[in-house]
Amino acid sequence: MKASDKRHLKRAGVEVTALGMGTAPLGGLYTPVALADARAAMQAAWDAGIRHFDTAPMYGLTRCEHLTGELLREEAPDSYVISTKVGRLMSFDRPGRQLPPEGPKNEFDSGWNSGLSFREIFDYSYDAILRSYDDSRQRTGCPKLDILFVHDIGRVTHGETHDHHWGALTKGGGFRALEELRAAKLIAGFGLGVNENEAILDAMEETDLDVCLLAGRYTLLDTSAADRLLPKCVERDVSLVVGGVFNSGILASSSGRKKFNYVDAPAEIIEKADRLRAECEAFGVALPAAAIQFPMRHKATGNVVIGAKSADQVRQNVAWFEQAIPDELWQNLENKGLVAAV
């Protein structure tokens, strides 16, 4: 399997590369990222044959949409696929300006060390979705946006305000705006970009989704999506772009970064990661290689997107993605109950 292999997203009608470039780390997730390093990482992804780039207004508080556009807008529009997100509008404070009060901080939002001077305002309504689309076109400067993901809709993110935001997306016309953009062929398709299985399942009952980005819920450490969501995606022809395959870092290095789902990893997760690492090493396979390839074993998966903070990290991700893994390793992990059978 090569990072540059093409994968067809049936309902959206676009072809993405098997490995996509996620841009969140370039916003300074956990640590700052110098502009030169961010640009080099993007160029390394392109040079490796990666042609799907996923970004969002939230990432670096607009920084990453600017970086994505800087790379792609000079390329032929049919040579790449770009996905971004809606649900957050970006604003700035100025004297006398009244902005909505900030809600309680989501425990999984670690902030941005290289973010620009904007503030996010959640809004999933009809007008906000259309404005967000326009704003992203302006920031990227690209002649097209292929896929829009409704970003971080769900009870984990919004808590007691979830019903309000879900109402804006459904009764308030947010989904209708996305349907109109698709019907006008301004986008190829839309879906949700979340880390909550239930949000996608609920959205499937509200509108016809094309492709969804699911982070952290179909990994070596968390296969909760396999119970209900993945079978439903296969039934509805909804492709899954799988992100968060390293679960915030614990699966990404031999030392085992002690972050899981953006917070400090509990003891049981650290123990399981250590067991997985030992099993992989017995077959001569790096744990990150198994982590990055694992989602591709399920037919619901369209592709995998991986973030990086440097050109070297991009090249390492590609090497892990392309490393040969014997079937015996997967069978061994299944037999020992470390992963669910596909």
Side-chain angles (χ1 to χ4, degrees), residues 292-309:
I292 200 171
Q293 293 185 45
F294 170 73
M296 299 297 290
R297 302 178 69 228
H298 199 287
K299 60 184 178 181
T301 301
N303 71 341
V304 168
V305 294
I306 292 292
K309 292 188 173 184

Side-chain angles (χ1 to χ4, degrees), residues 33 81 83 85 103 107 112 115 146 167 174 188 196 237 287 323 330:
V33 178
V81 169
S83 55
K85 303 180 180 73
E107 64 176 315
W112 305 99
D146 295 289
E196 301 180 48
D237 284 331
L287 175 60
Q323 180 179 351
W330 300 121

Side-chain angles (χ1 to χ4, degrees), residues 283 285 297 324-335:
F283 285 84
V285 173
R297 302 178 69 228
I325 296 181
D327 291 338
E328 290 79 9
L329 171 58
W330 300 121
Q331 189 63 56
N332 188 59
L333 294 177
E334 292 175 3
N335 292 340

Side-chain angles (χ1 to χ4, degrees), residues 250 258-261 263-273:
I250 194 168
K258 301 302 186 291
K259 289 286 185 181
F260 174 75
N261 289 351
V263 297
D264 291 337
E268 63 271 18
I269 291 295
I270 295 174
E271 180 184 4
K272 184 175 181 181

Side-chain angles (χ1 to χ4, degrees), residues 12 68 115 136 138 147 168 171 189 209 222 225 232 315:
T68 303
S136 291
Q138 290 278 358
I147 298 167
K171 299 175 184 176
L209 305 179
D222 184 342
K232 182 65 73 174
R315 288 188 282 267

Side-chain angles (χ1 to χ4, degrees), residues 59-301:
Y59 299 162
L61 301 177
T62 76
R63 186 195 204 208
C64 295
E65 282 196 326
H66 286 290
L67 285 166
T68 303
E70 183 180 80
L71 176 75
L72 297 181
R73 60 178 168 255
E74 301 301 325
E75 303 295 339
D78 61 355
S79 67
Y80 61 83
V81 169
I82 179 173
S83 55
T84 190
K85 303 180 180 73
V86 294
R88 287 174 168 90
L89 296 176
M90 293 292 147
S91 191
F92 59 93
D93 295 312
R94 66 170 179 254
R97 186 175 193 183
Q98 296 297 313
L99 292 174
E102 295 187 67
K105 182 174 173 59
N106 173 13
E107 64 176 315
F108 298 133
D109 181 358
S110 62
W112 305 99
N113 289 282
S114 303
L116 303 187
S117 56
F118 293 93
R119 174 181 159 192
E120 60 184 31
I121 299 173
F122 287 106
D123 195 336
Y124 299 88
S125 67
Y126 178 89
D127 287 345
I129 297 299
L130 295 181
R131 176 181 163 187
S132 185
Y133 168 80
D134 285 342
D135 288 350
S136 291
R137 285 287 304 275
Q138 290 278 358
R139 284 189 288 263
T140 63
C142 291
K144 56 137 187 185
L145 297 174
D146 295 289
I147 298 167
L148 292 182
F149 294 121
V150 179
H151 203 186
D152 288 341
I153 189 77
R155 294 189 182 279
V156 172
T157 298
H158 294 300
E160 62 185 21
T161 63
H162 169 73
D163 290 341
H164 165 75
H165 292 304
W166 188 255
L169 184 61
T170 54
K171 299 175 184 176
F175 277 140
R176 179 165 56 88
L178 290 163
E179 291 164 356
E180 290 177 3
L181 288 169
R182 181 176 61 189
K185 300 189 183 306
L186 293 173
I187 57 174
F190 70 87
L192 270 58
V194 295
N195 54 24
E196 301 180 48
N197 299 316
E198 291 299 323
I200 298 177
L201 288 165
D202 290 344
M204 284 180 173
E205 304 308 312
E206 298 285 346
T207 187
D208 289 327
L209 305 179
D210 303 296
V211 52
C212 289
L213 194 161
L214 181 68
R217 302 287 81 83
Y218 191 57
T219 73
L220 288 176
L221 289 173
D222 184 342
T223 56
S224 57
D227 296 335
R228 296 174 54 220
L229 178 57
L230 268 61
K232 182 65 73 174
C233 287
V234 172
E235 176 188 328
R236 300 281 184 92
D237 284 331
V238 176
S239 301
L240 272 187
V241 173
V242 179
V245 295
F246 297 145
N247 284 121
S248 304
I250 194 168
L251 294 174
S253 69
S254 59
S255 60
R257 183 179 180 178
K258 301 302 186 291
K259 289 286 185 181
F260 174 75
N261 289 351
Y262 310 106
V263 297
D264 291 337
E268 63 271 18
I269 291 295
I270 295 174
E271 180 184 4
K272 184 175 181 181
D274 288 341
R275 289 181 64 198
L276 287 163
R277 184 175 294 105
E279 295 293 337
C280 289
E281 289 176 352
F283 285 84
V285 173
L287 175 60
I292 200 171
Q293 293 185 45
F294 170 73
M296 299 297 290
R297 302 178 69 228
H298 199 287
K299 60 184 178 181
T301 301

